Amino acid sequence: MTKMKMSVVVPTYNLDSYVSVLLKNLTNQTVNFELWLVDDGSTDQTASQLGEFVKGKPDFHAIQLKHGGVSVARNYGLRHATGDGIIFVDGDDMIAPNFVETLSQGLAEDAVMAAVGYEWYRRPATRAAGFMALDQKSVFDQVSHHGTEIGGYVWNKAFRISAIKAANLTFDESLNLAEDYLFTATFVARSPGKYVYSPHVLYTKRNRRDSTIHNASRADRQEEDRIFEQIYALRKWIK
């Protein structure tokens, strides 16, 4: 199996009481990887925690930006990543020790995107011993709707960086919600090829009362509706 170099990008913003768990998870990964911890202008101790964490680790980087939103942070990591594949992990969540290794193995099956199971209000219904191969159309149906097993989120997936570049794709920095759905759905619509999915739960989403999704305004929700209309229209690109 081809060995894939993986880059992991973690955006953070005021996660002082949460990020230490993820940092421990990153330390316990079963393979080596490149790490970009990108702080979005935190006003608590998050950035200092990240700076201490990367000391003495040449492939681990901690950067603090001015507050610009999660897409600004993710785009910074995307621009600087040097891996064959890229993984976006939210700074307040938890990952299994074999999370990076498993996604790397998925991309190494000549896939443009690999996804694993996640736990967030529910667990996957699918049962499989390893990765299942999926076609572009079926994956688009999964990532373009709320409540699906694979989901349109970026955090339980790895993307082949060459495919992202071929699609000329970045995160839309003007959006407050659904920026991850738009990124993932656009990637799938523009990236013909093999997709793989393993339903084993390797990512755990943690709920925060002060998170963006829990504090969205009515205008944010209306914007989200418009984004999903844009996402549904992408299906015509798939032949």
Side-chain angles (χ1 to χ4, degrees):
M1 181 178 292
T2 303
K3 187 175 182 180
M4 307 285 291
K5 178 182 178 181
M6 303 301 293
S7 296
V8 177
V9 174
V10 181
T12 62
Y13 179 66
N14 288 350
L15 298 179
D16 190 24
S17 61
Y18 287 88
V19 73
S20 61
V21 176
L22 178 62
L23 296 181
K24 183 177 180 180
N25 292 165
L26 291 167
T27 300
N28 292 332
Q29 291 301 298
T30 54
V31 293
N32 296 325
F33 57 96
E34 177 186 61
L35 177 64
W36 290 93
L37 299 168
V38 187
D39 186 71
D40 182 33
S42 290
T43 57
D44 61 7
Q45 299 302 309
T46 301
S48 61
Q49 283 193 66
L50 305 185
E52 287 297 318
F53 178 73
V54 302
K55 286 182 178 179
K57 304 179 181 73
D59 291 330
F60 286 13
H61 313 276
I63 305 296
Q64 186 172 36
L65 308 177
K66 293 181 180 179
H67 183 51
V70 66
S71 292
V72 173
R74 287 179 180 146
N75 282 337
Y76 182 96
L78 179 57
R79 288 195 304 271
H80 290 83
T82 64
D84 304 302
I86 191 167
I87 301 168
F88 300 97
V89 176
D90 284 356
D92 51 352
D93 293 338
M94 298 183 293
I95 56 176
N98 60 335
F99 175 73
V100 174
E101 180 178 16
T102 301
L103 286 171
S104 173
Q105 290 170 344
L107 288 188
E109 294 187 9
D110 198 28
V112 293
M113 189 189 86
V116 295
Y118 65 89
E119 184 170 11
W120 192 22
Y121 298 111
R122 69 173 191 175
R123 296 172 67 88
T126 302
R127 297 290 180 266
F131 278 104
M132 305 179 298
L134 303 171
D135 62 28
Q136 184 185 15
K137 287 183 179 180
S138 63
V139 174
F140 184 82
D141 288 341
Q142 283 278 319
V143 304
S144 60
H145 294 85
H146 284 299
T148 63
E149 186 170 320
I150 295 176
Y153 319 106
V154 294
W155 35 253
N156 66 321
K157 300 173 178 67
F159 303 86
R160 192 175 288 269
I161 288 183
S162 60
I164 292 177
K165 291 180 178 179
N168 193 28
L169 185 59
T170 59
F171 289 90
D172 188 331
E173 297 178 1
S174 71
L175 300 179
N176 293 319
L177 285 179
E179 80 293 327
D180 52 349
Y181 270 91
L182 181 60
F183 180 93
T184 306
T186 305
F187 176 89
V188 176
R190 294 182 180 178
S191 304
K194 182 180 179 181
Y195 291 79
V196 296
Y197 168 60
S198 170
H200 293 283
V201 175
L202 302 180
Y203 194 101
T204 301
K205 188 71 180 170
R206 295 203 287 177
N207 291 308
R208 289 189 297 114
R209 290 183 179 180
D210 59 343
S211 67
T212 301
I213 196 169
H214 285 106
N215 290 277
S217 66
R218 183 176 180 181
D220 289 335
R221 293 300 182 186
Q222 291 174 338
E223 179 182 65
E224 183 181 30
D225 291 340
R226 291 193 294 272
I227 291 303
F228 271 90
E229 291 178 3
Q230 182 179 339
I231 287 171
Y232 301 148
L234 294 173
R235 202 178 197 285
K236 65 178 181 292
W237 294 4
I238 301 175
K239 298 179 180 180

